[in-house]
Amino acid sequence: MKVNGEHYRTIWPSVDDPSTIEVIDQRKLPYRFTTKSLTRVEDAHDAIRDMVVRGAGLIGAAAGFGMHLAALQAPSSHYIQAIIDAGNYLKSARPTARDLAWAVDRITALIDPADSLQTVRRKVFSEACRIADENVESCKQIGSHGVKLIHDAWIKKEKKRVNILTHCNAGWLAFVDIGSATAPIYAARDAGIDIHVWVDETRPWNQGSRLTAWELQQENIANTLITDNAGGYLMQKGEVDLVIVGSDRTTYTGDVANKIGTYLKALAARDNQIPFYVALPSSTFDWTLDKGNDIPIERRSGEEITTITGATKNNSLETVNLAAPGTQAVNYGFDVTPARLVTSLITERGIVQAEHSAIHSMFPEHAPAVPAG
């Protein structure tokens, strides 16, 4: 997508030196647009953990390139085990994000113990690039399928403006490009559909106010920032036509783990008969879990709630306290929306019910094996 009219991905190998991976430092947005260089697997781990990069698809891509850096660091002896150990280290950075483990496992699976270290390094880098490229293509397809839902709402409203509510950031900043929840929005804009986006601020990291609103502004899409608690009121007033969110991990039965507060929006949408859609690539499905309650929920530092960072009038970044000294805070990163509250899932293969038989029908390669006889 574009930043000040120039196209960027969120992560890319340096043109001059592919042993260096460049990323957009999302902690500085929207106040400053800066990039950060990753040269060691430890850099990739810390970038994921510390929210330099975030969002399901981008975390997966960062893990893939992290494995590339791990292969470059691997010693000439015992290099296979060193890369496997590095993969386990990367997995520890963010426990809820399914794409993280998916990318690590995908790369680990292609390593042949008979390969030389140089061959392993070539394979890993090629696969990391492939993961990033597939991420972009999946988002394009999500947009192609999801735009039909926005188009239907537009026709139903006799081509009056369609109001879409989002939560957190599932835009191009959360992926390598285009995004999941925003992909149908961009496709609708390109199709000439009149759209407006209600942007949840999404405490405590404010990915909505800091990232989604900025991203939509860069693309000239009408949007309005709201507090996290305003969505239900807007739904009651008839000012929301549909909700589209992303996912960090979805069970094969359709339970969705997403940024904390998503469940409350799903409840409000159900109470007001408003469609609630989840956009995700298949890499975000956890094909081993059938219960959302079994999804590990990340618990982050309470300081993310009791403090906030922003830009001062002289454009310096400053962190200030929001609560009294010594205030105890618990900071869950995600919640789980049960499948019964999800109208449909929007994937790169199409729109599917949040139900295990429908999901497995769309992705038969992941369906349970039928016992012989």
Side-chain angles (χ1 to χ4, degrees):
M1 305 304 288
K2 293 179 180 179
V3 179
N4 298 324
E6 183 177 350
H7 177 262
Y8 280 89
R9 283 187 171 190
T10 54
I11 187 168
W12 64 94
S14 171
V15 175
D16 299 324
D17 180 10
S19 67
T20 297
I21 304 302
E22 302 289 345
V23 298
I24 297 171
D25 189 343
Q26 299 192 23
R27 299 170 304 177
K28 305 295 178 61
L29 290 173
Y31 321 110
R32 298 173 187 165
F33 181 80
T34 61
T35 60
K36 186 177 179 65
S37 298
L38 313 179
T39 59
R40 303 162 64 248
V41 67
E42 291 82 2
D43 296 337
H45 173 278
D46 294 351
I48 295 169
R49 181 195 62 193
D50 297 338
M51 306 278 278
V52 174
V53 298
R54 30 72 49 206
L58 178 53
I59 288 174
F65 283 118
M67 292 292 281
H68 160 59
L69 298 175
L72 293 178
Q73 287 177 245
S76 56
S77 61
H78 308 296
Y79 51 86
I80 299 293
Q81 189 58 50
I83 296 171
I84 292 172
D85 291 344
N88 291 329
Y89 171 61
L90 285 167
K91 286 181 182 181
S92 70
R94 301 283 306 272
T96 303
R98 173 59 189 160
D99 289 67
L100 172 54
W102 168 83
V104 169
D105 291 344
R106 173 170 163 170
I107 287 180
T108 303
L110 64 82
I111 297 175
D112 188 334
D115 287 340
S116 68
L117 178 55
Q118 290 303 317
T119 298
V120 168
R121 286 171 174 167
R122 285 196 299 270
K123 280 186 175 181
V124 171
F125 180 62
S126 177
E127 195 70 7
C129 292
R130 190 174 294 114
I131 286 172
D133 290 342
E134 288 178 6
N135 182 279
V136 177
E137 185 58 32
S138 290
C139 288
K140 287 181 181 177
Q141 294 304 315
I142 288 170
S144 296
H145 296 299
V147 69
K148 300 170 187 174
L149 302 171
I150 300 176
H151 180 270
D152 289 348
W154 186 52
I155 295 301
K156 184 177 180 180
K157 293 187 69 175
E158 299 180 342
K159 297 189 177 182
K160 295 178 182 177
R161 173 170 283 190
V162 177
N163 291 297
I164 304 163
L165 177 72
T166 68
H167 188 68
C168 195
N169 171 263
W172 75 271
L173 289 165
F175 287 79
V176 177
D177 208 345
I178 302 173
S180 62
T182 54
I185 293 171
Y186 293 131
R189 182 270 314 273
D190 294 343
I193 299 172
D194 186 10
I195 52 175
H196 166 264
V197 183
W198 294 111
V199 180
D200 277 0
E201 60 179 346
T202 319
R203 287 277 295 142
W205 265 86
N206 295 314
Q207 295 99 323
S209 60
R210 291 175 46 248
L211 303 179
T212 302
W214 176 80
E215 178 182 329
L216 294 172
Q217 289 162 15
Q218 296 294 315
E219 291 293 323
N220 295 313
I221 291 177
N223 68 94
T224 305
L225 179 66
I226 59 172
T227 64
D228 288 345
N229 295 328
Y233 174 73
L234 290 172
M235 293 183 201
Q236 288 178 325
K237 298 290 287 184
E239 295 187 34
V240 176
D241 297 304
L242 64 155
V243 181
I244 309 178
V245 300
S247 171
D248 286 84
R249 186 185 302 223
T250 295
T251 68
Y252 66 79
T253 56
D255 293 340
V256 175
N258 193 51
K259 184 57 58 184
I260 194 78
T262 302
Y263 173 50
L264 297 180
K265 293 298 158 61
L267 286 170
R270 172 59 60 89
D271 191 50
N272 289 279
Q273 295 82 50
I274 294 170
F276 182 92
Y277 301 112
V278 178
L280 73 160
S282 55
S283 55
T284 303
F285 281 109
D286 189 329
W287 302 106
T288 70
L289 286 184
D290 64 346
K291 296 182 180 65
N293 287 339
D294 292 335
I295 296 174
I297 298 299
E298 180 179 7
R299 183 168 169 174
R300 299 180 62 84
S301 168
E303 288 185 1
E304 295 179 358
I305 296 177
T306 60
T307 65
I308 194 167
T309 300
T312 64
K313 289 183 178 179
N314 63 9
N315 207 33
S316 63
L317 299 185
E318 185 173 340
T319 300
V320 298
N321 292 322
L322 293 173
T327 299
Q328 298 298 305
V330 61
N331 183 13
Y332 296 106
F334 305 90
D335 58 24
V336 177
T337 298
R340 62 183 172 81
L341 297 178
V342 177
T343 305
S344 298
L345 304 172
I346 311 169
T347 78
E348 72 269 26
R349 293 190 187 176
I351 299 168
V352 63
Q353 284 185 292
E355 185 271 327
H356 70 93
S357 61
I359 294 169
H360 280 138
S361 179
M362 180 163 284
F363 298 93
E365 67 273 28
H366 296 289
V370 178

